Every structure is written in structure tokens, then in C-alpha cells.
């Protein structure tokens, strides 16, 4: 991570696998990663980003992906 930090000052380190497990589903990993990527990089608020991402999923996945641990 130190090498990455020297190349990109804004690099973020997180345990996305653990966060997805805390959300209750290992498949929430994609949401964790997209949330980490999107917040601060896209011209959307965190709420707008969440709504867009949740809206792209089948309804049955919405509850898991709305859990706080699924978002960075």
C-alpha cells in the first residue's frame, strides 16, 4: 500500500471482503468496490450514487446492499 500511496496520494485502502461479509452477503463486494470508487470521483452525492447503484440491481438484493457496511 505504501508503494501505491507514493503514486496516488488519494489511494484508499479497505477490507472490501470483510465489509461485504458485514453486509450479510459476500456478493455485496461489488457494491463496496463501486462505492469506494464512486464517492468523490463522480459528480454525484453519496445518496445519488447509492440510489443509482441500488436501482441497477434486482429488487431482492436491495436490502443487503443498503446496509451501512456495504458502503464505504
Amino acid at each position: 500500500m505504501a508503494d501505491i500511496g507514493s503514486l496516488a496520494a488519494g489511494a484508499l485502502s479497505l477490507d472490501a471482503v470483510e465489509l461485504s461479509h458485514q453486509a450479510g452477503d459476500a456478493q455485496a463486494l461489488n457494491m463496496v468496490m463501486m462505492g469506494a470508487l464512486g464517492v468523490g470521483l463522480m459528480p454525484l452525492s453519496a445518496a445519488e450514487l447509492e440510489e443509482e447503484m441500488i436501482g441497477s440491481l434486482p429488487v431482492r438484493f436491495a436490502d443487503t446492499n443498503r446496509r451501512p457496511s456495504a458502503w464505504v
Side-chain angles (χ1 to χ4, degrees):
M1 191 62 203
D3 291 337
I4 292 172
S6 69
L7 298 172
L12 174 68
S13 174
L14 58 108
D15 188 343
V17 172
E18 176 59 27
L19 290 171
S20 69
H21 286 283
Q22 288 176 21
D25 189 337
Q27 291 184 345
L29 177 62
N30 291 334
M31 265 321 185
V32 172
M33 298 301 291
M34 287 299 296
L37 176 65
V39 174
L41 296 178
M42 294 183 186
L44 300 170
S45 69
E48 291 169 324
L49 178 61
E50 176 183 353
E51 202 53 43
E52 289 298 319
M53 291 172 63
I54 296 293
S56 70
L57 297 170
V59 173
R60 68 182 186 271
F61 297 124
D63 288 340
T64 297
N65 286 292
R66 279 204 163 94
R67 291 185 184 137
S69 57
W71 293 87
V72 177

